[in-house]
Amino acid sequence: MKNTSVLAKVLLEERPLRMDGVTYFLHNGRISACPSRRGRYKRMSDKVVEASNRFGEVRKFWSIYRMAVSDLPVWKVMARETGRMRGDLLFHSVNGGYIDPGKGVSEFDRFKFAVGVLDAPKVTEVKRNGWEISIIWENGREWAKAGGDDVAYLGYFYGTQPRAPRMLPLDNICRAESRLQVTVPDGGEPEDTDLHLYLFFGSRKGDRFSSSVYVHA
């Protein structure tokens, strides 16, 4: 047993005391001890570093996405529907695997611009003429979770800018019209730049949304 002067000092000062390579301290009213010098932390594995970098990239991407959709509460609404997590965490869960550190979206066809409980559009035709885009969707029967006045939204990426989501709100186009024709801003890009498009719908109240459908043009 260590000499009583050491123990007395710990009890009186109530702070750690280092002596002969050992640190003495009070824990739950008892004197405890541990080595004063501990081994260095092990270097993080490549897998841990990659996961950390991906998490940081998705957080940055989420901030840009929110500005692009003007805080349209798509993910917040779906998180509330599921009752399992916040909107930003749901976004990360769904899209995190398709957003690469330092690059942005790597798999446009698997990325979801929106998720929701409304019926997603069933796209039947897509045409592009320069920056003019025409999309036709099926609307030949009543869907279980859809309304003819659901508002259309079109998210998009330029193929050269995978870290910059954008969106066109189409307040004058509803689900019942079965088609849209819009001009996508050129964004300073050449006319033959790939466009990755995401069509989805939302209720007039903005309290329910559909999942997005991916279209390449």
Side-chain angles (χ1 to χ4, degrees):
M1 185 173 180
K2 298 292 181 181
N3 64 62
T4 56
S5 63
V6 171
L7 303 183
K9 194 166 185 176
V10 172
L11 289 171
L12 290 172
E13 296 186 2
E14 294 188 357
R15 63 181 181 179
L17 172 67
R18 294 180 178 86
M19 185 173 181
D20 298 328
V22 177
T23 297
Y24 300 90
F25 58 95
L26 280 176
H27 179 66
N28 292 333
R30 295 179 132 189
I31 296 176
S32 299
C34 69
S36 296
R37 295 179 61 86
R38 300 186 182 185
R40 294 180 180 178
Y41 290 109
K42 293 182 179 179
R43 186 179 71 86
M44 290 190 297
S45 68
D46 292 341
K47 189 173 182 179
V48 171
V49 171
E50 197 276 338
S52 177
N53 290 341
R54 184 181 296 275
F55 180 83
E57 180 74 21
V58 176
R59 296 303 299 176
K60 293 176 186 176
F61 191 98
W62 169 251
S63 297
I64 298 170
Y65 169 88
R66 288 186 63 193
M67 290 189 288
V69 302
S70 299
D71 286 331
L72 193 71
V74 175
W75 296 86
K76 181 178 180 180
V77 168
M78 191 57 179
R80 187 170 63 239
E81 291 279 352
T82 60
R84 292 182 299 172
M85 56 183 73
R86 301 195 316 257
D88 58 336
L89 298 180
L90 180 60
F91 180 91
H92 191 128
S93 175
V94 172
N95 288 320
Y98 316 127
I99 300 175
D100 290 349
K103 297 179 181 178
V105 176
S106 57
E107 298 181 57
F108 289 103
D109 58 332
R110 303 183 74 176
F111 178 86
K112 284 294 183 183
F113 211 92
V115 291
V117 298
L118 296 182
D119 289 316
K122 297 180 183 293
V123 175
T124 58
E125 183 180 293
V126 180
K127 291 183 179 179
R128 177 179 178 181
N129 181 18
W131 297 108
E132 296 285 334
I133 302 295
S134 173
I135 302 177
I136 298 175
W137 58 88
E138 183 180 324
N139 197 37
R141 65 181 178 84
E142 288 296 323
W143 305 114
K145 294 181 180 179
D149 64 345
D150 289 342
V151 179
Y153 297 90
L154 189 66
Y156 67 97
F157 290 85
Y158 302 112
T160 54
Q161 300 182 37
R163 302 177 83 182
R166 293 172 169 83
M167 189 182 75
L168 290 175
L170 309 170
D171 295 336
N172 59 332
I173 300 174
C174 61
R175 188 191 292 262
E177 294 183 43
S178 301
R179 66 178 61 221
L180 64 80
Q181 187 165 343
V182 297
T183 300
V184 176
D186 63 26
E189 298 289 339
E191 195 172 86
D192 60 351
T193 300
D194 284 348
L195 282 175
H196 302 281
L197 309 171
Y198 301 84
L199 177 65
F200 64 100
F201 294 109
S203 66
R204 286 286 172 182
K205 293 181 179 180
D207 59 353
R208 301 180 88 193
F209 297 90
S210 77
S211 293
S212 58
V213 170
Y214 170 75
V215 176
H216 176 244

